[in-house]
Amino acid sequence: MANVQAILSALEVFSRAPDKAAIEQANTWLQDFQHSSEAWSTCNVLLLSPDAPLHAKIFAAQTFRTKVTYDLADMSTPDLLQLRETLLKALETYHAGPRNILLQICLAISGLALQLPAWEDPVQDLIDAFGRNPATVPALLQFLTVLPEEITTNTKIPITDDEYKERASKLLTANATKVTDLLSMYLQAPGATFAVQTQIFNALSSWLAAGEIVVMSLLNSPLIPYSFQALSSEALFDSAVSVVCDLIHETQEVEDNMPVIEVIVPQVIALKPKLAEYKDDPEKIRGLARIFAEAGEAYRSLLLHHPETFFPIVEAIGECSAYPDLDIVPITFSFWMRLAQSIGKRSSVSPLFLDAYRALMNVIIRHLHFPAETSSLTGQEADNFRSFRHVMGDTLKDCCYVLGTETCLIAAYEMITNALSKGPNASWQEIEAPLFAMRSIGAKVDPNDDKAVPKIMDMIPSLPPHPRVRYAALLIISRYTEWINKHPDYIPFQLQYISAGFEDSDQEVNAAAGQALKFLCQDCKRHLIEFLPQLHTYLATMGNKLVQDDKVQVYEAIAYVISAMPMEQAAQSLRTFSLDILEHVHVLSAKTTPPTKEELTSIAHDLENLEVMLGVIQSFGEHLPAACQNTHQEAWAIFEPFLVKYGSEYPICERTTRVLRLGLTFFGLATLPILPSVLARMASCFEATGFSSYLWMAGKVIGRFGNEEDPTLRSAFQDIFERASNKLVLMLQEKPAEMMPDVLEDYLQMLLQMIDYAPDVFFTSPAFPIAFRVAMAALTLVHSDIVFAALDLLRTIFTHDCLAPASRSPPPKFPIYAAAIRPVVEREGQALTGYLLSGLVGEFPEESIAMVVSIFRVLGGIWPTQLHAWLPPVVAQLPNTTVPEQVKNSFLADINTSIQSGDFDKVKYAVRTLHRASRKARERRRAVPMDG
């Protein structure tokens, strides 16, 4: 057959030297072939041909599974019954494997069974055909394993809820007892191999997970004891662990399952000695940890009510938590968290559980220790260990929940004092790990505590100066700032310790000092007002020695203190710090020689520091204090020449526009006199550079002051709209839209502000047609935010009230707006519908579909004749791979019916139907033909 040879040729591409274009072409061809009706017969030939290569047979089996999922709707019942025979023949042929072919055939049979009511009893038929010959039993077990999984998880099979319920009940529920008996029989059969026993356990797990086999029905079955016995077998251990965990999990409804729990629990407890036996085998310990943790979670209420019987399970979980392999330890964490929650709801609890959590706390802090030689960890290992320490910190919080925060803090404190008592013999790890624990449980600390936390704070200055210890201690200060706010006497020495942290040679210690200062100033700002001159002096003397990330945190800290001051005092303090920075800006602007790279970087950092301060303080309200009365004019007088000179430097552009944006918020209406100048400068800078930040800033001005009627300001709106649009036209001639997504996004966001606040500028400007075309171009990008912005703008245009049926007295400008919109739509309408439909069946985000519907409703209502003419050639261009011909024809018919009937609600139905059909086709094609 020609198709067979074509498939072999396409598949051969995947095994040759990688050629991306050739692979994509072959992949597309194979996907198209899977859609075709010829695929059924061709793949059958491949599967049954002894000479076909293995990868071709795998593809054929995958194709059967894919087509059963998607393509049965158009087949008659006789054809489906014939397909059943084809698949059963294939299962017979491949009963011994290869497994990947056998698996795909079993999945296809399962999918067919769900969709073919005429097949009365597929499970019994498979048992009859494959269950009596030991050679074919593995194939039957594979089918029984995948059947519940496919029926309960493959949501792509097109079947109604009612059909699904009826068929699933017939396939699974009605056969549960039969399958249980069959698995029991096979398990006890003489000569059952480890491989078959593993398959039996896998099938049992599958039916348990689907909820079809109820554990109570296994009370007198050999399956439960055999599952536990199999834990002693090397070959069966993994599958036995899984099935035992499933058995336990399915009995968590304790009251309904007590008889079988009484069978399971003694066998779980009997596994406890195995932890010592297998202590050198991490994989065995991992399996046992899974079982104990599952039992602990499922039987939590029994543990608490009957500790005399069930507490050995807690002890076993404690041993697993103490195991040195940190990949195994977290298996137990969920149990400890849930048990802590249950204990918290009880008025009293057995001392056994308190002892368990004390032991757990010691275990976790021991696990927190860095290795004696930290260089033994690779970069990724070190990152993973640090991340895992935070996970362990959550378990320490569970200990606090049970034992009380004070108890846990005192225990960690005593670990440190014991280590310090060793003098030089103490390792830094012995001190750092309890410090990390204190930090982890800091959120649980009572701000009024007067027993544990004072001891910790008094101890911090005496800690050794090791960088890791100092880092941990600084982060404790960060976490305990709410407590410090209630105990301000500690602030002076905290500031000294933080200051020393900035002077440390370790950059991580510097960063921790910055974080500590930030949170100290944020939470204790009123107590720190008197220290502000000291902080100003510190910046002046030490600021140049700080890396920028740390300096930013210092400025943020200072801003928090300023925000707590009385307004006049705060304004004067802010002016002091701001003028320091503005002086640097002015000096650089006045410089007659070209600046160095270091000078530009330094000034960008200065602007970032000012941005951070303004971001914290935000505003002093509508009435500016005296110290700020004319500051905005002074600042703009510095910034404008600075932008003229350095606005083509991207970092300067970014930082300056962000500061200006915050200046709008801070000064508010006071900035009105300078806004035309600001907008003109933004326009000039954008024309000169094409940097999107200038448009972003202009959009913020329009959004904040768009309602102002000042003619000069509105003229400035129009000026930047037209200049930015003309510049964008030039940019789009030089490079495609996808090469400048940031510019398109900020331009569109500026237009969204303009159409909301200045429609008189937006619609009447000669730049309006440009804006419309730019919005269309933006629809071709794969950036969700840009597509949303473009659709939002277009929808706002199309649904503007000026296009609504004329009311008795429309606003006088509405006819002008409408007259501007109509010719643009009539000129661009066909291209627009093409962009909308391409995105709809392509990459538009799911949440944007409602906007597409809105646009089409208006097109159908106001331009029905044009839409009728535009759509056929546009729809014809949509790729058949995502929009089959039948779907195209249905869409056009639905739209035409909507237009002719004047029922434009049907447009929504047509658009959504097209979208769903294309999404289904795309999902199908995402399954690459050569995927396993």
Side-chain angles (χ1 to χ4, degrees):
M1 294 175 69
N3 274 340
V4 169
Q5 189 53 52
I7 291 171
L8 295 177
S9 299
L11 291 172
E12 186 65 27
V13 172
F14 290 91
S15 60
R16 294 202 299 263
D19 178 344
K20 186 176 180 182
I23 288 173
E24 287 182 358
Q25 183 179 358
N27 194 50
T28 299
W29 187 91
L30 291 169
Q31 288 177 327
D32 291 340
F33 169 76
Q34 286 186 324
H35 283 263
S36 69
S37 57
E38 296 83 13
W40 294 112
S41 56
T42 305
C43 287
N44 192 38
V45 169
L46 277 172
L47 266 184
L48 300 181
S49 169
D51 300 325
L54 177 62
H55 59 272
K57 294 180 178 182
I58 293 172
F59 171 74
Q62 290 172 335
T63 299
F64 270 119
R65 193 270 174 109
T66 300
K67 292 189 75 64
V68 164
T69 298
Y70 293 104
D71 293 344
L72 297 190
D74 298 330
M75 295 177 67
S76 65
T77 298
D79 287 341
L80 291 173
L81 292 172
Q82 180 57 47
L83 173 61
R84 176 188 65 182
E85 300 310 312
T86 299
L87 291 173
L88 291 175
K89 175 67 174 173
L91 184 60
E92 183 180 347
T93 302
Y94 290 97
H95 69 267
R99 185 182 178 279
N100 45 7
I101 295 178
L102 178 64
L103 175 62
Q104 295 296 322
I105 294 170
C106 288
L107 288 167
I109 294 172
S110 300
L112 177 63
L114 181 61
Q115 299 175 78
L116 182 54
W119 193 358
E120 282 293 327
D121 195 348
V123 172
Q124 186 60 55
D125 289 350
L126 269 290
I127 292 172
D128 292 341
F130 297 92
R132 292 177 170 79
N133 180 351
T136 59
V137 164
L140 171 64
L141 290 171
Q142 181 69 73
F143 167 74
L144 292 176
T145 300
V146 303
L147 178 66
E149 296 169 359
E150 184 72 354
I151 287 177
T152 56
T153 63
N154 190 351
T155 56
K156 295 172 183 173
I157 292 176
I159 188 170
T160 68
D161 288 346
D162 289 340
E163 290 169 337
Y164 173 82
K165 289 175 185 174
E166 180 180 348
R167 197 63 185 152
S169 175
K170 196 157 191 174
L171 289 169
L172 300 178
T173 311
N175 285 301
T177 302
K178 184 187 302 180
V179 169
T180 301
D181 293 343
L182 186 76
L183 295 179
S184 299
M185 180 188 74
Y186 286 152
L187 196 59
Q188 299 175 92
T193 63
F194 287 142
V196 167
Q197 289 175 325
T198 298
Q199 282 192 286
I200 293 167
F201 288 140
N202 291 342
L204 177 58
S205 285
S206 179
W207 284 72
L208 285 168
E212 295 297 341
I213 289 181
V214 180
V215 181
M216 275 296 291
S217 69
L218 304 178
L219 187 57
N220 298 312
S221 161
L223 289 170
I224 292 178
Y226 266 78
S227 299
F228 279 94
Q229 290 167 23
L231 293 168
S232 299
S233 164
E234 189 75 32
L236 298 176
F237 182 81
D238 290 340
S239 55
V241 166
S242 294
V243 80
V244 167
C245 287
D246 289 331
L247 287 166
I248 294 169
H249 184 77
E250 295 303 318
T251 57
Q252 59 187 305
E253 299 296 335
V254 171
E255 293 180 3
D256 298 335
N257 291 283
M258 270 314 296
V260 76
I261 290 172
E262 290 171 352
V263 171
I264 290 173
V265 166
Q267 298 188 72
V268 170
I269 291 174
L271 295 171
K272 189 166 173 273
K274 297 283 186 184
L275 291 170
E277 182 182 337
Y278 294 143
K279 68 180 188 302
D280 296 324
D281 187 342
E283 291 310 308
K284 288 286 199 313
I285 299 295
R286 183 192 307 276
L288 293 172
R290 285 179 56 199
I291 292 172
F292 287 125
E294 189 69 59
E297 289 198 51
Y299 307 143
R300 212 162 54 248
S301 61
L302 295 173
L303 294 177
L304 291 169
H305 286 97
H306 305 286
E308 68 285 351
T309 301
F310 291 90
F311 196 74
I313 294 176
V314 179
E315 293 175 325
I317 296 171
E319 288 186 47
C320 296
S321 297
Y323 194 69
D325 188 330
L326 296 186
D327 287 335
I328 292 171
V329 173
I331 294 171
T332 67
F333 287 171
S334 180
F335 162 75
W336 293 116
M337 177 193 70
R338 295 180 188 279
L339 181 62
Q341 291 171 343
S342 297
I343 288 173
K345 297 172 184 175
R346 296 173 63 85
S347 57
S348 63
V349 64
S350 167
L352 292 172
F353 293 103
L354 301 180
D355 292 341
Y357 275 95
R358 287 190 191 95
L360 176 65
M361 182 182 62
N362 291 325
V363 160
I364 294 297
I365 294 178
R366 187 169 70 246
H367 287 321
L368 288 172
H369 282 60
F370 276 99
E373 295 293 332
T374 52
S375 59
S376 65
L377 295 176
T378 66
Q380 187 59 52
E381 288 171 341
D383 288 344
N384 291 344
F385 179 64
R386 289 186 180 210
S387 297
F388 183 55
R389 295 178 100 212
H390 291 286
V391 176
M392 290 192 284
D394 290 337
T395 301
L396 284 173
K397 294 172 191 171
D398 299 329
C399 296
C400 284
Y401 194 66
V402 174
L403 301 172
T405 305
E406 182 183 309
T407 300
C408 295
L409 285 175
I410 291 294
Y413 168 80
E414 289 175 350
M415 290 181 189
I416 296 173
T417 55
N418 289 339
L420 292 173
S421 68
K422 298 179 184 177
N425 295 325
S427 69
W428 67 264
Q429 288 91 340
E430 292 178 89
I431 300 168
E432 190 275 343
L435 286 173
F436 183 92
M438 292 173 176
R439 170 189 164 199
S440 295
I441 59 181
K444 302 282 186 183
V445 169
D446 179 359
N448 296 310
D449 175 87
D450 60 359
K451 294 180 181 177
V453 182
K455 291 183 178 181
I456 295 168
M457 293 300 167
D458 290 337
M459 173 186 67
I460 286 178
S462 64
L463 293 173
H466 189 282
R468 302 266 43 86
V469 173
R470 179 167 280 177
Y471 175 84
L474 284 164
L475 291 182
I476 286 178
I477 294 174
S478 298
R479 185 58 65 90
Y480 285 54
T481 48
E482 289 185 21
W483 183 91
I484 296 169
N485 185 46
K486 294 286 186 75
H487 302 79
D489 292 346
Y490 284 90
I491 288 176
F493 100 77
Q494 305 284 16
L495 284 173
Q496 290 173 8
Y497 195 80
I498 290 169
S499 178
F502 281 121
E503 295 170 19
D504 196 287
S505 59
D506 188 291
Q507 287 191 356
E508 288 191 348
V509 175
N510 302 154
Q515 186 173 325
L517 184 61
K518 178 177 76 174
F519 286 115
L520 188 69
C521 290
Q522 184 175 346
D523 289 334
C524 312
K525 51 193 173 188
R526 299 192 185 283
H527 300 301
L528 280 157
I529 291 173
E530 62 184 279
F531 294 96
L532 193 60
Q534 180 181 331
L535 291 171
H536 186 256
T537 303
Y538 176 79
L539 267 179
T541 55
M542 293 293 297
N544 290 335
K545 298 180 181 179
L546 300 178
V547 298
Q548 176 59 13
D549 286 347
D550 300 334
K551 196 186 291 188
V552 163
Q553 298 209 72
V554 174
Y555 272 98
E556 186 176 354
I558 288 167
Y560 283 120
V561 178
I562 292 174
S563 70
M565 292 177 163
M567 187 182 295
E568 288 293 344
Q569 186 183 355
Q572 190 58 54
S573 296
L574 177 60
R575 182 180 175 87
T576 299
F577 284 93
S578 300
L579 286 178
D580 289 347
I581 294 171
L582 291 175
E583 175 63 22
H584 297 164
V585 174
H586 175 68
V587 168
L588 193 65
S589 295
K591 189 174 181 186
T592 56
T593 57
T596 65
K597 182 179 178 182
E598 290 72 21
E599 285 175 318
L600 290 173
T601 300
S602 176
I603 207 70
H605 288 166
D606 282 336
L607 292 170
E608 182 183 13
N609 298 334
L610 180 55
E611 175 195 344
V612 165
M613 293 186 76
L614 291 173
V616 171
I617 294 168
Q618 291 291 311
S619 172
F620 289 142
E622 291 185 16
H623 302 291
L624 292 172
C628 299
Q629 287 293 333
N630 298 311
T631 312
H632 60 287
Q633 293 173 324
E634 296 169 7
W636 180 240
I638 292 172
F639 277 123
E640 184 170 28
F642 180 66
L643 283 173
V644 170
K645 200 163 188 177
Y646 302 114
S648 59
E649 298 285 343
Y650 186 74
I652 299 297
C653 157
E654 279 285 290
R655 289 296 169 198
T656 305
T657 51
R658 292 168 74 92
V659 169
L660 292 175
R661 162 72 181 91
L662 290 167
L664 289 181
T665 301
F666 183 83
F667 291 107
L669 292 173
T671 60
L672 280 173
I674 64 170
L675 289 181
S677 173
V678 171
L679 287 172
R681 181 53 53 200
M682 296 302 106
S684 297
C685 287
F686 179 66
E687 286 175 326
T689 66
F691 292 160
S692 66
S693 295
Y694 295 118
L695 299 181
W696 173 81
M697 178 60 193
K700 298 301 181 185
V701 172
I702 297 167
R704 176 71 174 78
F705 301 100
N707 286 326
E708 299 297 325
E709 296 296 334
D710 176 47
T712 307
L713 182 58
R714 300 196 83 72
S715 176
F717 292 165
Q718 181 171 348
D719 179 62
I720 193 164
F721 176 29
E722 292 172 3
R723 293 169 68 181
S725 299
N726 291 330
K727 171 65 177 178
L728 198 50
V729 169
L730 296 175
M731 293 174 70
L732 287 168
Q733 289 171 355
E734 295 175 2
K735 55 185 177 181
E738 58 266 25
M739 296 293 289
M740 45 182 178
D742 54 337
V743 177
L744 285 178
E745 181 173 11
D746 287 325
Y747 177 76
L748 290 168
Q749 292 294 346
M750 182 183 77
L751 298 188
L752 284 168
Q753 300 299 330
M754 192 163 283
I755 198 172
D756 277 349
Y757 295 105
D760 54 321
V761 173
F762 180 70
F763 288 120
T764 61
S765 168
F768 171 66
I770 298 174
F772 196 94
R773 289 197 299 274
V774 170
M776 290 197 302
L779 297 177
T780 64
L781 303 188
V782 293
H783 300 261
S784 295
D785 290 345
I786 299 175
V787 170
F788 271 116
L791 287 172
D792 195 8
L793 181 67
L794 290 166
R795 179 183 60 178
T796 307
I797 293 170
F798 278 97
T799 58
H800 196 279
D801 288 344
C802 72
L803 293 176
S807 61
R808 291 181 181 176
S809 55
K813 292 183 179 178
F814 273 22
I816 300 173
Y817 300 168
I821 295 170
R822 289 179 184 278
V824 173
V825 173
E826 287 161 12
R827 185 168 60 249
E828 307 290 350
Q830 182 162 342
L832 174 63
T833 54
Y835 287 128
L836 290 172
L837 291 180
S838 294
L840 185 75
V841 304
E843 300 297 333
F844 278 4
E846 190 73 25
E847 301 81 3
S848 70
I849 307 309
M851 290 191 276
V852 178
V853 170
S854 296
I855 295 169
F856 269 104
R857 281 173 60 94
V858 176
L859 284 170
I862 300 178
W863 291 276
T865 305
Q866 292 90 331
L867 183 61
H868 189 272
W870 293 334
L871 278 177
V874 166
V875 171
Q877 293 298 314
L878 297 176
N880 290 330
T881 52
T882 52
V883 190
E885 205 64 40
Q886 179 183 351
V887 175
K888 293 180 182 180
N889 294 335
S890 297
F891 173 71
L892 288 172
D894 290 340
I895 291 287
N896 289 337
T897 299
S898 169
I899 291 173
Q900 290 164 9
S901 66
D903 183 359
F904 299 110
D905 284 336
K906 290 183 178 176
V907 171
K908 176 179 179 180
Y909 169 80
V911 172
R912 291 201 173 275
T913 301
L914 175 67
H915 174 61
R916 278 195 297 271
S918 67
R919 183 178 60 189
K920 181 178 176 182
R922 290 198 308 276
E923 286 174 352
R924 175 174 181 170
R925 295 183 74 83
R926 286 192 187 108
V928 179
M930 287 307 294
D931 275 358

